[in-house]
């Protein structure tokens, strides 16, 4: 195969730079990305949802689909869950864990739900009405128990809380309620559990969002304690925000907890990660690897969180996993010695070019090789397509999910 | 009443500036805003919908609600319609028109639907598959017939068409399909009908939108002909766009066709118009009135298009109508002689201050007076609240709309 | 005068709401805004500077101009200074303080300079080269001495530090250098001095800025200590950022230190405060007054920081001061009892309307009355224009400032 | 050399896809990018300029520098000029043309100047004062003569015109003045000359800019005539604008006239093209090549227009040229047959992946080969660095440019 020859040449090129390709491959094999159970079902926009024939309906479907994805990509043995959906019909979680284990998956980050239900009109733990805050906190505590049952050590908290109009609520009071609610969850967690607090500038709230940016998440996490860290969803930034710089700051503060990967061009578009700005994704991984090389303690949970509105979900997820791998691989190939030297000389041009050179390397042959060494086929997408899995689920599931688009 | 005294003083202040308050009141009485039939029902975000107890379910509900709004505001005797919803169960439109007329309303802009239906996954008239384009065009032609039946002379076209990923479709071909489809609609219209073409930068498509900005709408309208004009939805602009300048350009080119009023802070938030940037709304009306004073032929359809996610829809619409009235009233009070003089002197400070002075006038007493002279109560919101209408519809409708929020 | 009658009516309207106009006037009289010495000189864009004939050249000119502004506005007895410019030719600061005092002004916030000088190409305290960091810190310490000599208790720090290209420098190291430098300044300050740390997303650096947002400034201030607080420049936000929410958070954390007022539509436009988004300015003051009413300890330094590119600087500053007064006055008139009640009822519409009602009050008659009671003329701009001051300085100064525009 | 082996393998890979690498290399050799004479001098921000020791001072310096760049890159035999600067001290242009020719360069796009001079405070051809409009138009006509003398067939017009405050000027009148002024220039041009009209959303004007977006430039060009086309400066877009879609529209309308290449993350940052969003640059070239493959008449002038604030200008330009080459090369390698097939199948995933595959190819070996075949060294930057040119000009020029940074 031509790619094998390309891989051989790449190995030589890297060796000349003092980069050990075996070490790089080792890191690539150990990379882990959590698959979001919710993404294999149908998803859409406020204008409606385009149904996929084989979209997952039950929790068993979701596990099956994640297992199929893991079969072809090999670095996703973990399924992130959403508590409302990933449960048996009679409210049990252990069977979920067991079925996942059977399929080769463990359960990753557990996500409480604070937006599905009429009571959340004015928010969950920031709600001006005490009963809603109280019931949300009960739900939070329940999630700790669920995490235990699922064998998970991580809670991923996104709050849809906010206001739509100036004057609607007192912002400082909302902040107090926010902290009070989070603290109760934090204190209820087991000593080896971690809370990841997500931020988002807007949507579904359109005037204020209670945890609106990294600064607010950082502030809350700092007040909670060491096991509270920031969860960065790539699409949850206003245009222009330098995300890789935020990562650098959080890494340096020991508060970089996890990612929800996706890509956006406008708002929270939830497109496939790497599909709009592959260089930006590379720059994020560059910060992470640079920190690791500097012996910063890096302990990050990587998840996808995307909305596959028009592409088949499973294929979209496979492509996304591959995009993350490529960004990671490129960042591993940065000639850091040369980069450091250029920086020390104030040589802006060479420093920038050195980073860009790594990004410009075609890492597909390298990733093919990694997959082959892991015992899977080089091309996960074609592997999946050839498997007949898509046809099988389309046939079997006879998707009866809600049709919010009329026709 | 104190406001009556304030009104009297205002009249004197204006007289000193040479502004005839009777002429102003006359204009305010003649203002017309179309009520969007779809906004009195439930609406939400992709995360779900918070149900209102009395939300309109049937077309008759919608007409009743619009009539109630018109009762208290007095300047909204027109209901804009959406063809899929504002129809009898057996597909008839004349009964809709008749019931509206009975309730004192005529039917305004007719909106085709090009997004509800599984076939629209890749767009409507820009769809790569010819059959979808063909059926969309049939729907367009149907809308012309429907407009006739409803007694409307205006078609308002918003296309959800676009792509989500680089490479997905050929952009130039999509543009050709776009024009071909629009042209068929334009040619099918009666000689006294007008086509309003809306633009939007993103959502539901997240990489390209086929009619993405005023330039594209203008380009298409120019190619179609004189009776095709641009529809400006205030929320359909990227952050930073100077909307009032676009209005000025379109007015000058004879292509300013209509508004969808709302307000946004982030994306297409669909908040109540004037709730986030009341000065910006004033600046838009300032352009319109300045054009009228310069004898530009101004023929604009004014509509609301908002999503009342957390506030009661009818109240939200009433407040929005009042916000539009206030912006319009303030713009009518600009001392244009003084403004012109400042401009001629290159006196930036005085020109800016002159505009701001009009904006700073409290026009509530003036609008109260206008309403009293129109035979309605000064405060539409309190009028509505006292009427018991909200309680009545909550009781009667037993809202059974889809509950997409679980609880 | 008609405005006197309007004022009388307003007093009645407010009395009906339980708002004591005497208390409001008292607050308005006590408001203090620092005048930026640098703004009365010429300023421009990177494309050049349009010279004003009477633009201040010397420090004495700047003091004279500020004193003239204070004469007509009455609430600006303080001049913020920039250390490089507000000094005698032989490097003395006491004469500056004395001349200012003679003119009725005291010296406010002292601003170090970390961008004028070839050495700052890669930053000041974040510079990769130790000698530049060292000399910047010396300059910082010098500023403490200067502040003492000028009788000022506040240092306002804006760092132009950042990078222009990915890879250029190690971001975590820059953060370490940042904190090290700030800490040295903080530790060098007298026990009654306060450090205000400004943030800015971009410009002059275009890839990363070391203190890029409120979160980073907050983080640094928290690490420094209680007397380090955040300085909010209104124009230093990416589009979409909710500034009033940041104010609320900082007030709640005791970290809201000061403002640089201006207004922007696009980037750091440095337009007159209140000229683009007067409602946004009101919403900021609403947060401050709400905090005061809730007995939050509010201790904020208010400054203007604008660039009067095309309007006469002194006039631009006068108009800006008036715009700030109007926003503050409106926020003082919010019916907080009614607002609280609406919030408690979950009445979004009424809560929003209550806030908007205060904004819609024409406060010009009230401010006229305040000025008359303070012994100054009701209209500061006309007062200034009639004084002949502009003609006098144009005649006397024979502006010989650098002409960067060729012609 | 390893790259030669990589090139050989790439040739095979492409051959398998049916892509003829000889044809690709031929296109790459024929690519032409105009060098901006103004970019080899010092440039900065409104906060000051960091001087380069060897920055060009005279027109002869600028020609020398461009010739040196062309020596190492080989695809830039044209120098775009700015009329105010690229002239002899006694106002002659022919010697400029001759010296350039001697150095192997011809003169490309001629840029009038409408912002340097005190008279332009309120704009040039949109200025409210007729004398400024008149003198600007005289300057325009002069530029036609100058273009003739320089042997150029293209005029590149950027207008700094706009307003800073609401109310400052009448926007419709400014539009009329705009067209009147442009039309005079258009009519004064020779029959074989082309006018390229640039747009920009803001800066130096901060409220309105008279030619603010592609729509306005398109509108003006359409009214002028066939030889007026749109000039797209990559940095002149609000965040979120889809630039490649604008390119597609303009190509389809025959109005795509030229580029000013650079890259931005925030505003008009003027960074090196391809340094922030290399994928976006690729997507633009993809549109161009797709149009060429579809036999659209593509006639585009490519220019750099950047501000090298902290990196050495010549090196920054060399790196930028290489970045453009890479984007162009990658776009030439798109497997268009496969792409078309995926589109026809509605296969979003494969269509997107096909585009991405071309972007992921490491084209450096290909470009090395192209350069070798053109008789130049594979690495232009190292070639330049080894030449000693930088040291030579630093020594000779004794840069005496204005030091606007104090130190």
């Amino acid at each position: 195969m031509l790619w094998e020859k390309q891989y051989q040449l790449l190995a030589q090129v890297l060796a000349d730079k003092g980069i050990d390709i075996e070490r790089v491959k080792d890191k690539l094999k150990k990379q882990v990305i959590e698959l979001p159970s919710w993404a294999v079902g149908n998803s859409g926009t406020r204008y409606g949802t385009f149904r996929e024939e084989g979209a997952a309906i039950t929790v068993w479907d979701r596990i099956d689909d994640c297992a199929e994805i893991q079969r072809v990509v090999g670095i996703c043995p973990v399924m992130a869950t959403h508590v409302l959906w990933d449960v048996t019909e009679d409210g049990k979680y252990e069977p979920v864990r067991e079925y996942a284990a059977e399929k080769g998956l463990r359960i990753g980050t557990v996500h409480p739900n604070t937006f599905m239900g009429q009571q959340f009109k004015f928010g969950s733990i920031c709600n001006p009405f005490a009963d809603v805050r109280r019931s949300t906190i009960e739900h939070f505590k329940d999630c700790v128990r669920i995490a235990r049952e699922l064998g998970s050590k991580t809670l991923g908290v996104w709050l849809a809380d906010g206001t739509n109009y100036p004057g609607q609520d007192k912002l400082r009071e909302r902040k107090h309620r926010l902290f009070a609610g989070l603290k109760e969850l934090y204190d209820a967690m087991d000593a080896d559990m971690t809370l990841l607090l997500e931020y988002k500038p807007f949507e579904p709230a359109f005037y204020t969002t209670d945890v609106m940016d990294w600064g607010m998440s950082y502030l809350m996490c700092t007040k909670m304690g060491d096991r509270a860290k920031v969860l960065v969803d790539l699409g949850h930034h206003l245009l222009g925000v330098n995300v890789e710089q935020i990562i650098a700051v959080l890494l340096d503060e020991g508060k970089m907890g996890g990612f929800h990967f996706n890509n956006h061009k406008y708002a929270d578009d939830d497109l496939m990660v790497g599909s709009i700005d592959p260089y930006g994704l590379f720059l994020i991984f560059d910060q992470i690897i640079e920190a690791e090389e500097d012996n910063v303690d890096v302990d990050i949970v990587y998840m996808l969180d995307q909305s596959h509105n028009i592409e088949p979900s499973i294929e979209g997820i496979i492509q996304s996993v591959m995009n993350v791998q490529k960004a990671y691989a490129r960042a591993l190939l940065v000639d850091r010695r040369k980069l450091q030297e250029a920086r020390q000389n104030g040589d802006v041009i060479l420093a920038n070019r050195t980073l860009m050179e790594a990004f410009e390397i075609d890492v597909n042959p390298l990733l093919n090789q990694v997959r082959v060494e892991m015992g899977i086929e080089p091309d996960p997408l074609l592997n999946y397509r050839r498997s007949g899995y898509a046809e099988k689920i389309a046939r079997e599931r006879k998707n009866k999910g809600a049709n919010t688009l009329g026709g």
Side-chain angles (χ1 to χ4, degrees), chain A:
Chain A
M1 301 288 280
L2 285 172
W3 70 257
E4 290 166 321
K5 291 184 190 162
Q6 287 181 309
Y7 167 74
Q8 294 302 338
L9 271 178
L10 178 61
Q12 289 179 50
V13 169
L14 295 176
D16 284 1
K17 293 181 182 176
I19 296 173
D20 176 5
I21 204 164
E22 294 303 323
R23 182 169 172 265
V24 168
K25 284 191 299 185
D26 192 52
K27 288 211 145 201
L28 287 166
K29 289 170 192 169
K30 288 180 179 153
Q31 188 180 22
V32 172
I33 301 169
E34 296 193 8
L35 295 171
S37 76
W38 57 91
V40 291
N42 278 320
S43 62
T45 69
R46 62 171 167 148
Y47 298 102
T49 297
F50 297 109
R51 289 191 310 275
E52 273 186 83
E53 289 206 324
I57 304 168
T58 69
V59 60
W60 320 115
D61 293 347
R62 286 191 284 276
I63 293 171
D64 286 346
D65 289 356
C66 289
E68 169 64 12
I69 295 170
Q70 164 62 357
R71 185 183 69 81
V72 297
V73 298
I75 61 161
C76 300
V78 193
M79 183 176 90
T81 69
H82 188 285
V83 294
L84 288 199
W85 302 315
D86 297 328
V87 60
T88 66
E89 290 202 357
D90 53 346
K92 298 225 158 37
Y93 288 88
E94 286 207 10
V96 173
R97 176 189 191 168
E98 286 161 12
Y99 186 70
E102 224 171 89
K103 291 284 183 168
L105 301 172
R106 62 181 170 82
I107 304 300
T109 307
V110 170
H111 295 75
N113 182 297
T114 62
F115 60 96
M116 286 181 70
Q118 296 297 324
Q119 71 271 28
F120 295 127
K121 186 156 80 165
F122 299 131
S124 64
I125 52 170
C126 303
N127 199 299
F129 298 107
D131 57 335
V132 181
R133 298 201 297 273
R134 184 48 38 205
S135 73
T136 305
I137 290 167
E138 289 312 310
H139 173 65
F140 277 176
K141 290 181 179 171
D142 219 34
C143 287
V144 173
R145 178 188 57 77
I146 293 167
R148 262 180 228 126
E149 289 182 28
L150 290 169
S152 168
K153 298 297 180 193
T154 318
L155 287 154
V157 177
W158 172 60
L159 302 167
D161 292 54
T163 68
N164 270 10
Y165 292 104
Q168 179 185 327
D169 204 350
K170 191 177 279 191
L171 300 183
R172 282 173 297 108
E173 273 186 15
R174 291 187 74 91
K175 177 166 170 284
H176 297 166
R177 297 172 205 148
L178 171 67
F179 180 65
L182 288 171
K183 194 62 169 52
E184 289 217 38
L185 170 56
Y186 187 81
D187 291 343
M189 291 195 314
D190 295 344
D192 60 352
M193 284 183 173
T194 300
L195 186 160
L196 304 181
L197 181 60
E198 196 167 347
Y199 58 89
K200 185 175 189 184
F202 67 94
E203 197 208 27
F206 293 124
Y207 172 59
T208 61
T209 295
D210 291 290
V211 186
M212 74 289 196
D213 61 12
W214 78 268
M216 192 65 177
S217 178
Y218 168 85
L219 192 160
M220 286 294 132
C221 289
T222 303
K223 283 175 190 282
M224 277 189 276
D226 285 348
R227 289 172 297 109
K229 296 185 179 180
V230 178
L231 178 57
V232 179
D233 181 297
L234 298 192
H236 291 189
H237 297 90
L238 294 172
L239 295 186
V241 169
N242 189 316
V243 181
E244 57 268 29
Q245 187 182 11
I246 292 173
I247 305 307
V249 171
L250 293 174
L251 282 166
D252 196 58
E253 293 291 321
K255 285 295 184 194
M256 181 62 223
F259 282 102
H260 273 185
F261 282 134
N262 52 56
N263 214 159
H264 73 143
K265 183 165 179 64
Y266 304 99
D268 188 21
D269 308 339
D270 272 335
L271 299 178
M272 296 187 292
V273 60
S275 66
I276 298 296
D277 182 16
Y279 188 52
L281 186 62
F282 161 80
L283 292 175
I284 286 169
F285 275 106
D286 173 59
Q287 289 300 327
I288 294 168
I289 290 161
E290 189 176 72
E292 285 178 344
E293 301 283 322
D294 290 346
N295 297 312
V296 173
D297 184 27
V298 176
D299 183 14
I300 297 174
V301 179
Y302 300 92
M303 289 172 263
L304 297 178
D305 184 13
Q306 306 178 151
S307 187
H308 304 284
N309 297 338
I310 62 166
E311 68 275 18
S313 299
I314 294 176
E315 294 195 356
I317 293 170
I318 292 169
Q319 186 137 321
S320 302
V321 170
M322 293 172 72
N323 284 348
V324 173
Q325 285 183 295
K326 284 183 269 191
Y328 184 51
R330 286 154 158 171
L332 286 167
L333 302 185
V334 171
D335 188 339
R336 297 200 178 272
R337 208 168 42 194
K338 187 172 158 195
L339 180 60
Q340 183 55 17
E341 203 177 290
R343 285 171 175 172
Q344 276 166 349
N345 296 332
D347 189 340
V348 178
I349 290 285
L350 202 59
N352 175 247
R353 172 172 154 156
T354 301
L355 203 63
M356 192 61 91
E357 276 170 352
F359 178 70
E360 288 168 356
I361 294 171
D362 186 348
V363 293
N364 287 302
L366 169 62
L367 288 166
N368 287 355
Q369 178 67 21
V370 165
R371 289 191 198 101
V372 168
E373 294 184 13
M374 290 173 77
I376 53 181
E377 290 190 28
D379 189 329
L381 184 68
L382 297 190
N383 185 354
Y384 169 74
R385 285 197 171 185
R386 277 192 302 259
S387 71
Y389 187 86
E391 294 74 12
K392 178 173 161 286
I393 56 176
R395 220 165 36 233
E396 290 175 2
R397 288 179 189 168
K398 297 172 182 159
N399 186 341
K400 285 171 179 155
N403 174 3
T404 62
L405 280 174

